[in-house]
Amino acid sequence: MSFQEIVVTLDDLQQLDLNALLSEIEEKTYMYIETALASQKESPAALLLAAACSMHFNPSNAKAPFSPKFVFEGRRGLIASDFSKESLTAIKDFCEQVDNHELRARLSDVVWITKSGTIDHAYIAIEAYLESAKELTLSCDSWVIPFERIERALRLSCFFKRENQRPDLFQKVSELLLEEYEQHKTDDRSFYSLRLLSLCLECGINENEWIYEQATQLAAANFEAEDFNSSIRAYEIALDAAHSMRDKEKQISTWEAISNCHEKSAEHGPTGMVAAGRLIKAIDALAKVPGTKDRRLALYEEMREQQIESLHDLNLMVTEPQDISELVHNAIEKVQSKDWFDALFRLGTITSPVAMQPLKEQAVEQMRSSFSWMLGATKHMDHEGMTTAVIPAGLGIEENENGMQCWSIMMRNIGIHHQLSVEGQILPAMNEVSAKYNINEHAFEQICRNHPFIPDGHEAFFVKGLLAGFNRDFMTACHLLIPQIENSLRYLARQRGEEPSTLHGDGSQERSGIKALLGHQAIADTLGSDIASNLQVILLDKIYGDLRNQLSHGYVPASNYWGTAPKYLWWLILHILMLPLARHWKENYKAEETTE
């Protein structure tokens, strides 16, 4: 019997002794509640409530706060719409009778978002989240858990601020948020206070002037503590507040402060690629400040020195040869990790981009052992039978080892390499990581923020693209990431002192396209020739990948994004983003692994 076929009545739910079932749980959160209820395997009512608690909580999404517990190819965990109408009716009538705040909030929220109840269930959910947050602030070691309840209560209460509804609920949540902020704004780690302050700005709690002053104070304290990332985050909140006030003077001073943070981070952090990325961000921020030309030129000179140093970063990660018969087993072993960052780093470095020179040598050897490529032209066709490339017959090895025949064989072989990597390493490792960790936007934000591959203001594209791919939505991932790859390549070229644009005779300018960028020596020097070549093959080559053209012109069906190339491209972007973090990982994770 499927879950949708299980019918639970109000009487079934009322017969549960919830207080007894939940009396011994370690922590009053939905994860522990789910475990306690799921142990009652003979009770459909308990299993129904456990299922309601099984969904991941995403409070930042006001209209869809719950997502499946897992997503594998062709399968997923339960979502709210999976519950039967009869079961939702029972939950609707039962949720107000639940004493446990966390469970009452979850059940009434499920009823609200499925439109099975009334607006009163939204009110119940808000008050229950509020009470749960108060309780969890006293019992939880982590600030994340109570913060999620505050955020959900706040976003939900924003819908009902009109006088004829419940504006008092928004006021209650706002007061708790401000109390939490005042209590924690002087903490050594400012993640919590920054998230609270960001919610204040987003949801209109307190005046923008107050938010600006609080943000600049937090930024200054973090700068003094040399926590430059948190300082920048605080200044970004201050900048948003300054924009809301339309205060040009505050905007300029904040941009200058952000530039100073990036510059100091470059001085105190790792040299090479990371420092160069910080300096270009410092230059970009300083460009918003009038009269800073000389300072920008000085920073540019320092950036060029760091770029020379960055050449040493390209060979930090070396993957040992693997026995193909054990690829899946080894991939799963490789991503056994300490926390989510460790897991994502291991996933991003689970293999290496295919090296082009050995690939060419392999193709030449295959040409020597077979003469079929000399007998006639070869056509490559797309999914609609259109000819995308014609490879003429060859006349001899010497002529064709640098020609189209050799390249055609190389493209066939790289497709095999990519497929082995995807099926034998990347997807098994991804499944293992997603089973152990709830990887969300916040995790990818930590990786993408202040990254040398990502220009300021473009982080959200990478965050959402990486998360989509991690959730196996490679179509969305490609549509978000592929245009950003081209822009990031231009960004890298600028860091190498190149101008990725053309000045035409009529005075108009045109940005360099992706083909020119991937063929540019500055890009190969920065990313490494193998990464640049793999990008070129996947995005532009008519024989194997061609994803950029397929996406831009929209002539392939959605099913094409379940192929090897889109999955490998997603991983390749993750790999690129992880490379500058290799030193941090080795210092904080590799050493511990070695000493165990």
Side-chain angles (χ1 to χ4, degrees), residues 337-356:
S337 49
K338 179 181 177 182
D339 57 24
W340 66 264
F341 172 80
D342 187 19
L344 282 180
F345 184 87
R346 291 172 181 271
L347 173 60
T349 55
I350 195 73
T351 184
S352 295
V354 178
M356 301 304 288

Side-chain angles (χ1 to χ4, degrees), residues 31-220:
M31 290 183 290
Y32 288 94
I33 294 172
E34 178 198 356
T35 301
L37 293 172
S39 65
Q40 307 300 306
K41 299 187 182 301
E42 302 302 319
S43 170
L47 295 178
L48 175 71
L49 300 185
C53 293
S54 71
M55 296 177 288
H56 278 315
F57 193 31
N58 303 306
S60 60
N61 190 331
K63 294 185 178 180
F66 305 120
S67 62
K69 187 175 184 178
F70 65 88
V71 179
F72 293 149
E73 292 186 16
R75 298 189 300 122
R76 61 162 173 78
L78 291 169
I79 57 176
S81 60
D82 290 334
F83 290 77
S84 68
K85 182 178 179 180
E86 293 80 5
S87 294
L88 286 170
T89 300
I91 292 173
K92 169 179 72 74
D93 297 330
F94 177 68
C95 59
E96 197 170 6
Q97 304 171 25
V98 177
D99 293 331
N100 183 281
H101 303 309
E102 180 85 344
L103 182 58
R104 186 168 70 257
R106 173 59 66 104
L107 296 179
S108 53
D109 207 353
V110 167
V111 170
W112 166 248
I113 65 171
T114 56
K115 306 304 179 187
S116 304
T118 67
I119 194 172
D120 289 329
H121 289 91
Y123 299 157
I124 294 169
I126 294 168
E127 292 184 310
Y129 278 124
L130 200 58
E131 293 305 315
S132 181
K134 291 177 181 177
E135 194 171 57
L136 292 169
T137 54
L138 301 175
S139 60
C140 286
D141 294 331
S142 170
W143 60 266
V144 175
I145 293 175
F147 173 81
E148 288 180 337
R149 279 72 185 162
I150 294 172
E151 181 176 13
R152 178 55 182 161
L154 180 61
R155 294 191 185 280
L156 200 50
S157 66
C158 285
F159 293 132
F160 311 110
K161 293 166 64 174
R162 293 196 295 271
E163 289 298 327
N164 62 340
Q165 294 178 326
R166 291 290 303 276
D168 61 299
L169 293 175
F170 178 79
Q171 186 62 32
K172 287 180 182 178
V173 182
S174 300
E175 287 172 0
L176 177 60
L177 188 153
L178 291 173
E179 287 174 11
E180 284 292 293
Y181 175 76
E182 289 297 327
Q183 182 177 345
H184 293 279
K185 68 180 182 180
T186 57
D187 289 354
D188 291 337
R189 305 293 284 178
S190 61
F191 301 123
Y192 188 24
S193 52
L194 286 173
R195 295 290 294 277
L196 291 169
L197 196 59
S198 181
L199 275 183
C200 286
L201 179 64
E202 185 178 348
C203 298
I205 299 174
N206 229 325
E207 299 295 326
N208 287 326
E209 181 68 39
W210 178 85
I211 294 171
Y212 178 85
E213 293 299 329
Q214 294 296 316
T216 52
Q217 289 174 21
L218 284 176

Side-chain angles (χ1 to χ4, degrees), residues 472-479 482 547-552 554-567:
R472 288 42 169 204
D473 183 1
F474 295 102
M475 180 176 67
T476 299
C478 285
H479 279 74
I482 288 176
L547 284 186
R548 191 258 190 182
N549 292 320
Q550 292 174 0
L551 184 145
S552 299
Y555 55 74
V556 295
S559 59
N560 273 41
Y561 293 99
W562 275 102
T564 295
K567 297 173 183 176

Side-chain angles (χ1 to χ4, degrees), residues 218-238:
L218 284 176
N222 283 303
F223 186 87
E224 186 68 23
E226 297 184 359
D227 183 356
F228 301 113
N229 285 338
S230 295
S231 184
I232 291 168
R233 178 65 188 125
Y235 277 127
E236 287 172 345
I237 295 172

Side-chain angles (χ1 to χ4, degrees), residues 223 228-229 232 236 252-267 273-290 292-303 306-307 450-452 454-456 459 491 494-495:
F223 186 87
F228 301 113
N229 285 338
I232 291 168
E236 287 172 345
I252 290 173
S253 64
T254 306
W255 277 120
E256 188 168 12
I258 290 173
S259 176
N260 194 34
C261 286
H262 283 300
E263 184 179 354
K264 290 297 181 183
S265 179
E267 291 178 8
M273 188 183 299
V274 173
R278 286 289 198 176
L279 289 170
I280 191 65
K281 292 179 187 296
I283 294 168
D284 286 344
L286 206 56
K288 311 291 195 308
V289 181
T292 57
K293 180 179 178 180
D294 291 341
R295 289 173 60 188
R296 296 201 307 271
L297 288 174
L299 288 175
Y300 182 80
E301 291 298 322
E302 174 61 22
M303 184 193 71
Q306 294 294 345
Q307 287 166 349
N450 301 316
H451 197 284
I454 305 174
D456 284 333
E459 294 88 346
Y491 184 58
R494 283 185 56 216
Q495 295 179 42

Side-chain angles (χ1 to χ4, degrees), residues 353-464:
V354 178
M356 301 304 288
Q357 184 57 36
L359 199 69
K360 180 179 178 180
E361 293 170 0
Q362 180 187 19
V364 171
E365 185 59 34
Q366 288 175 306
M367 291 170 71
R368 293 184 187 279
S369 61
S370 173
F371 296 99
S372 60
W373 55 273
M374 299 178 63
L375 301 179
T378 303
K379 291 184 179 181
H380 293 268
M381 296 178 290
D382 66 11
H383 67 290
E384 293 180 328
M386 291 186 64
T387 300
T388 57
V390 178
I391 310 302
L395 298 177
I397 292 288
E398 291 74 14
E399 177 185 331
N400 283 279
E401 65 179 15
N402 293 312
M404 287 300 296
Q405 283 288 350
C406 183
W407 183 257
S408 176
I409 297 171
M410 288 173 65
M411 291 305 94
R412 181 189 65 194
N413 292 345
I414 201 172
I416 295 171
H417 279 280
H418 284 176
Q419 186 172 13
L420 285 172
S421 295
V422 166
E423 301 298 334
Q425 296 174 292
I426 295 168
L427 291 182
M430 190 189 300
N431 291 342
E432 181 70 7
V433 174
S434 62
K436 291 184 66 176
Y437 301 101
N438 177 24
I439 304 296
N440 52 29
E441 283 192 9
H442 181 64
F444 285 117
E445 283 170 0
Q446 302 306 304
I447 292 168
C448 294
R449 185 175 296 279
N450 301 316
H451 197 284
F453 188 69
I454 305 174
D456 284 333
H458 291 252
E459 294 88 346
F461 295 103
F462 283 88
V463 169
K464 292 184 181 298

